Amino acid sequence: ARVGEAARRIAKRIDEIEAGLVQVRWKTPNDDLQWAAGLNAQIAYLAGLAAASDHRPTRAMKERFAELREEAEGRLAEWRRLAEAELPPFEELLRELGVPALARG
């Protein structure tokens, strides 16, 4: 029971972090009409605009990119905190119970 509870808690946090980076509800081509784009799609769109132009990126494009980068860095910091603070105790619990360890890369 302890392993299941801990795994569900960690999986929930991972899902929250992922949802902050990408739009996980997009399943069909028209879902972008219903659900807002995730950070990855917003960054890709902005990069496409900049690449398609013969001119330098506008100030507004640079400002928006800075905002998106800050938000993405915050989400990645959340992931690092989870990986450093919550995964090691979970892995220790698995070792104590003789459950094969997680592989991280």
Side-chain angles (χ1 to χ4, degrees):
R2 286 184 1 195
V3 171
E5 291 171 18
R8 281 188 291 279
R9 186 181 68 251
I10 290 170
K12 183 176 186 280
R13 284 292 300 131
I14 291 171
D15 289 345
E16 290 168 355
I17 294 167
E18 178 187 25
L21 292 168
V22 299
Q23 179 49 266
V24 296
R25 294 180 280 192
W26 283 4
K27 306 293 183 208
T28 67
N30 290 331
D31 283 349
D32 62 339
L33 300 173
Q34 184 172 2
W35 308 107
L39 283 174
N40 66 323
Q42 292 178 56
I43 291 169
Y45 178 77
L46 192 56
L49 286 177
S53 176
D54 290 335
H55 304 286
R56 297 173 59 121
T58 65
R59 181 176 37 162
M61 292 168 80
K62 290 177 183 179
E63 289 171 358
R64 182 62 181 142
F65 178 75
E67 293 168 359
L68 293 170
R69 178 171 39 198
E70 183 177 331
E71 190 172 343
E73 287 173 351
R75 295 297 180 164
L76 294 173
E78 289 179 49
W79 165 251
R80 284 189 291 277
R81 283 191 298 274
L82 177 110
E84 293 168 1
E86 295 185 43
L87 290 184
F90 181 68
E91 291 170 333
E92 179 60 31
L93 174 62
L94 294 178
R95 276 192 293 281
E96 288 173 10
L97 298 173
V99 177
L102 299 173
R104 285 194 276 159

